């Protein structure tokens, strides 16, 4: 179950004092109350940038002690210990070295980091924010004197300097600069949404070299088992029909009745990071998202939250005519207890309605399948929202691929987009793609990225050697 092992995040809960803080590069830190305010701001930034997602291992790892391995077919890339330990962490880093590691991918000893560390996103961080982060890590994070496992990739991927080639292609080493044509709020939202690598890392599609595809910002992307949908302001393919309050509520809680619930990687992002952002910062993200260029997908005919019948009872009656098929039997045995026979959910909407729900109205069934197979698990504001996954090891029935396809098709025809059909093979493929922790998605693109860098490097070496021979 995704996100379950990260309960340790409670430790990063922010005090209400942070409510007054803004995240963009204002000189607030220097003016307000010296180090305590600076440390608090650094802590807030570390939460907003989700440093712990990689640098703290799930299931009770010590904060920022590293050791989480990003699986790639070439071997694991382990996140570093970034506690202020002088022997195992970054205790000996100067602020300048820290800034270079976070924004340029250059380690204290000069070696290049693999782009599994998202320095390409953090390159936009302002000097003031790097300062606050540095002070927080040095003054408040507890040193842990244990080294995480070393990363050993096979030759030629162990040539860290080949990352210089990759950086030349893909690292845009410029700090965030506000766009004077946009409001201060939209600019702050851009800094949070894109600068801290928040929304685009998942919602913008990428090419095989790991670069985000230009002109497709927030246009939707597959992350393996889950799809991060199109969240541009397009009224058909995106979220143009959502109000600003809907979007705010979704980011803060993960639940907008009659529209959508957050599961999978989105639930993780809300649980560990977004719910702790100040209301002003969340509103800024909303303002930013609502003004990116709208993108329409030709396959979409209606907004995904518009499908299904408002009258659940009628829907249920329609299904009961004739003999019960497998999907209907499973729905009534395994789903209806919570979502009700008519799919209308519970009155308090703790159990959501299945019509007017983006998971059942989308033009791809991925998130519906993933929700059935993996369930939903999200702790927000101290409240645990939980749907069991119908897979091996769960307390509920284990459903076969065919069973999931049957019940999924029942849900689609009665409550969702009836044009979408699920096969057992679709279910098998989603099962294979998940459950994946946040980091696993990096594995998919790290290999082509490294391979590209190495190929370019070897080509350069070859050129030089050939020239020497000739000369
Ligand atoms: C998506 C995963 C991920 C996130 C998020 C992340 N890091 Fe990293 N970081 C890594 C990995 C992996 C490495 C080691 C890469 C390597 O060995 O080349 C690393 C290395 C580092 C290093 C180099 C340490 C050393 O001496 O080896 C620093 C400093 C660092 N990260 C700081 C941060 C900070 C600060 C944040 C939040 C602002 C952050 N990281 C967020 C994955 C991440
Ligand atoms: C770690 C990956 C990840 C990140 C980061 C992320 N999202 Fe998502 N997002 C998803 C996935 C996956 C879904 C689908 C969740 C589901 O249906 O249960 C989603 C769903 C959504 C939805 C609901 C869309 C719908 O039709 O149901 C909105 C709105 C949204 N994200 C906005 C954002 C914004 C704004 C940000 C940045 C502040 C963001 N997301 C960051 C992965 C991510
Ligand atoms: C034990 C109660 C329970 C059972 C049984 C259950 N669900 Fe759920 N379901 C939930 C809860 C709780 C949520 C999440 C609500 C939230 O996020 O606020 C949910 C969410 C969903 C969603 C939305 C997921 C998303 O990512 O947007 C779908 C679709 C869904 N359930 C379908 C099903 C189907 C189909 C079955 C039967 C195979 C089923 N559920 C069985 C409790 C249940």
């Amino acid at each position: 179950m995704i996100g379950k092992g990260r309960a340790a995040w409670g430790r990063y809960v922010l005090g209400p004092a942070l409510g007054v803080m803004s995240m963009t590069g204002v000189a607030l830190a220097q003016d307000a109350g010296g180090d305590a305010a600076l440390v608090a701001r650094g802590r807030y930034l570390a939460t907003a940038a989700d440093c712990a997602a990689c640098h703290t291992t799930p299931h009770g790892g010590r904060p920022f002690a590293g050791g989480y391995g990003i699986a790639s077919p070439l071997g694991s890339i382990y996140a570093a210990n970034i506690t202020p330990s002088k022997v195992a962490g970054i205790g000996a880093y100067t602020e300048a070295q820290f800034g270079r590691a976070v924004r340029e991918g250059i380690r204290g000893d000069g070696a290049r980091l693999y782009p599994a560390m998202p320095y390409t996103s953090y390159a936009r961080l302002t000097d003031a924010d790097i300062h606050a982060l540095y002070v927080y890590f040095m003054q408040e994070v507890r040193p842990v004197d244990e080294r995480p496992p070393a990363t050993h990739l096979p030759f030629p991927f162990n040539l860290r300097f080949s990352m210089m080639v990759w950086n030349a292609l893909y690292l845009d080493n410029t700090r965030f600069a506000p766009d004077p044509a946009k409001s201060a709020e939209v600019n702050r939202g851009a800094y949070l949404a894109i600068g801290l690598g928040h929304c685009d890392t998942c919602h913008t599609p990428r090419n095989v070299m790991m670069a985000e595809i230009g002109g497709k910002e927030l246009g939707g992307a597959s992350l393996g088992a889950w799809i991060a949908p199109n969240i541009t302001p397009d009224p058909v393919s995106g979220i143009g029909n959502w109000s600003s309050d809907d979007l705010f509520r979704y980011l803060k809680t993960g639940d907008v009745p009659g529209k959508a619930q957050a599961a999978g990687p989105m639930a993780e992002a809300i649980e560990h990071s977004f719910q702790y952002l100040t209301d002003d910062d969340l509103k800024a993200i909303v303002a930013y998202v609502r003004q990116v260029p709208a993108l329409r997908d030709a396959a979409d005919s209606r907004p995904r939250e518009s499908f299904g019948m408002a009258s659940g009872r009628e829907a249920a009656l329609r299904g009961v005519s004739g003999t019960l098929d497998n999907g209907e039997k499973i729905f009534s045995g395994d789903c209806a207890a919570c979502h009700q026979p008519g799919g209308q959910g519970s009155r308090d909407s703790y159990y959501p309605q299945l019509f007017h729900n983006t998971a059942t109205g989308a033009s791809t069934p991925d998130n519906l399948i993933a929700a059935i197979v993996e369930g939903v698990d999200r702790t927000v504001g101290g409240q645990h929202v939980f749907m069991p996954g119908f897979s091996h090891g769960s307390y509920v029935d284990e459903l076969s691929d065919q069973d999931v396809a049957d019940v999924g098709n029942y849900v689609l025809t009665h409550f969702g987009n009836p044009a979408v059909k699920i096969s057992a093979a679709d279910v098998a493929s989603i099962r294979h793609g998940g459950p994946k922790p946040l980091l696993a998605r990096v594995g998919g693109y790290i290999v082509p990225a490294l391979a590209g860098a190495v190929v370019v490097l070897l080509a350069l070496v070859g050129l030089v050697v050939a020239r020497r021979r000739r000369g």
Side-chain angles (χ1 to χ4, degrees):
M1 209 100 352
I2 279 182
K4 218 176 179 183
R6 304 265 175 78
W9 267 82
R11 278 173 291 174
Y12 306 105
V13 172
L14 296 158
L18 287 172
V20 294
M21 298 209 160
S22 126
M23 297 191 50
T24 35
V26 258
L28 177 141
Q30 282 84 340
D31 307 334
D35 276 7
L38 200 51
V39 166
R41 179 154 157 231
R43 189 193 309 127
Y44 182 77
L45 283 161
T47 305
D50 218 351
C51 309
C54 301
H55 287 282
T56 304
T57 47
H59 308 293
R62 280 167 296 179
F64 305 112
Y68 194 3
I70 299 173
S72 89
L74 300 170
S76 289
I77 300 175
Y78 291 97
N81 177 334
I82 55 167
T83 72
S85 160
K86 287 234 160 53
V87 292
I90 58 168
Y93 270 58
T94 63
E95 183 173 327
Q97 285 174 318
F98 177 79
R100 268 202 300 278
V102 174
R103 297 192 294 204
E104 294 167 48
I106 302 173
R107 211 163 61 182
D109 63 4
R112 304 287 150 159
L113 296 172
Y114 294 116
M117 160 73 191
Y119 56 87
T120 44
S121 297
Y122 299 147
R124 309 221 177 81
L125 285 176
T126 61
D127 293 345
D129 283 350
I130 286 289
H131 179 60
L133 276 167
Y134 180 73
V135 171
Y136 163 68
F137 275 100
M138 291 302 156
Q139 295 191 6
E140 193 175 89
V141 173
R142 290 233 183 133
V144 174
D145 292 336
E146 236 168 79
R147 284 182 177 280
T151 298
H152 292 296
L153 299 190
F155 178 82
F157 303 102
N158 59 344
L159 302 175
R160 283 183 175 269
F161 56 88
S162 64
M163 289 304 106
M164 290 165 82
V165 177
W166 191 88
N167 288 343
L169 293 172
Y170 295 115
L171 174 63
D172 174 8
N173 193 16
T174 46
R175 310 295 162 246
F176 178 79
D179 177 350
K182 307 242 156 104
S183 71
E185 190 181 40
V186 167
N187 273 307
R188 190 160 81 242
Y191 184 71
L192 291 159
I194 308 297
L196 289 176
H198 253 176
C199 316
D200 56 333
T201 41
C202 294
H203 285 275
T204 301
R206 291 170 189 271
N207 64 21
V208 287
M209 285 294 280
M210 162 187 179
E212 290 174 8
I213 302 173
K216 291 262 164 110
E217 193 190 345
L218 305 183
S222 170
L223 308 176
W226 296 87
I227 284 182
N230 178 335
I231 54 165
T232 70
D234 188 80
V236 174
S237 295
I239 55 172
N241 295 322
W242 293 37
S243 69
S244 295
D245 285 349
D246 287 340
L247 191 47
F248 176 88
R249 181 181 167 148
Y250 188 86
L251 294 175
K252 182 118 193 153
T253 70
D255 176 28
V256 182
K259 286 208 166 62
Q261 288 76 42
M266 187 67 195
E268 271 189 80
I270 292 171
E271 177 170 326
H272 300 152
S273 182
F274 305 157
Q275 67 164 318
Y276 299 122
L277 295 184
T278 64
D279 286 0
D280 280 350
D281 279 344
L282 283 178
K283 282 181 194 147
I285 292 175
V286 170
Y288 173 76
V289 170
R290 291 179 72 85
Q291 57 80 64
V292 303
L295 295 173
R296 172 82 48 101
D297 185 335
D300 299 327
S301 58
R302 277 168 60 176
R304 49 189 179 270
E305 74 275 6
S306 74
F307 281 93
M309 310 246 304
S311 162
R313 208 165 262 154
E314 210 180 313
L317 288 176
R318 272 203 311 174
V320 177
S321 61
T323 45
L324 291 189
D325 68 11
N326 188 38
E328 188 162 18
K329 261 186 254 163
I330 296 172
F331 184 80
S332 104
D334 285 324
C335 317
C338 295
H339 293 287
Q340 300 302 307
Q344 72 271 36
S346 61
R347 244 186 222 170
D348 63 2
S349 82
Y350 176 87
Y351 300 120
Q353 61 188 60
L354 297 179
F355 43 84
H356 295 279
N357 187 317
T358 57
T360 63
S363 47
T364 49
D366 301 44
N367 288 355
L368 172 60
I369 299 171
I372 299 172
V373 172
E374 292 184 16
V376 183
D377 190 343
R378 197 176 69 238
T379 299
V380 176
Q383 261 216 328
H384 190 198
V385 174
F386 183 73
M387 164 173 153
F390 290 82
S391 293
H392 189 67
S394 175
Y395 73 87
V396 288
D397 291 340
E398 187 181 343
L399 297 179
S400 69
D401 292 345
Q402 190 59 53
D403 288 343
V404 174
D406 289 346
V407 73
N409 285 325
Y410 177 85
V411 167
L412 287 167
T413 36
H414 288 82
F415 312 120
N417 184 342
V420 176
K421 297 279 175 270
I422 303 174
S423 70
D426 295 335
V427 180
S429 120
I430 299 267
R431 238 194 250 280
H432 202 69
K436 281 199 175 163
L438 176 79
L439 280 196
R441 75 194 147 80
V442 183
Y445 57 73
I446 198 95
V447 175
L450 294 187
V454 167
V455 164
V456 174
L457 182 82
L458 293 181
L460 288 176
V461 169
L463 251 170
V464 170
V465 170
R467 284 232 173 117
R468 286 244 172 96
R469 280 212 187 122
R470 247 184 275 145

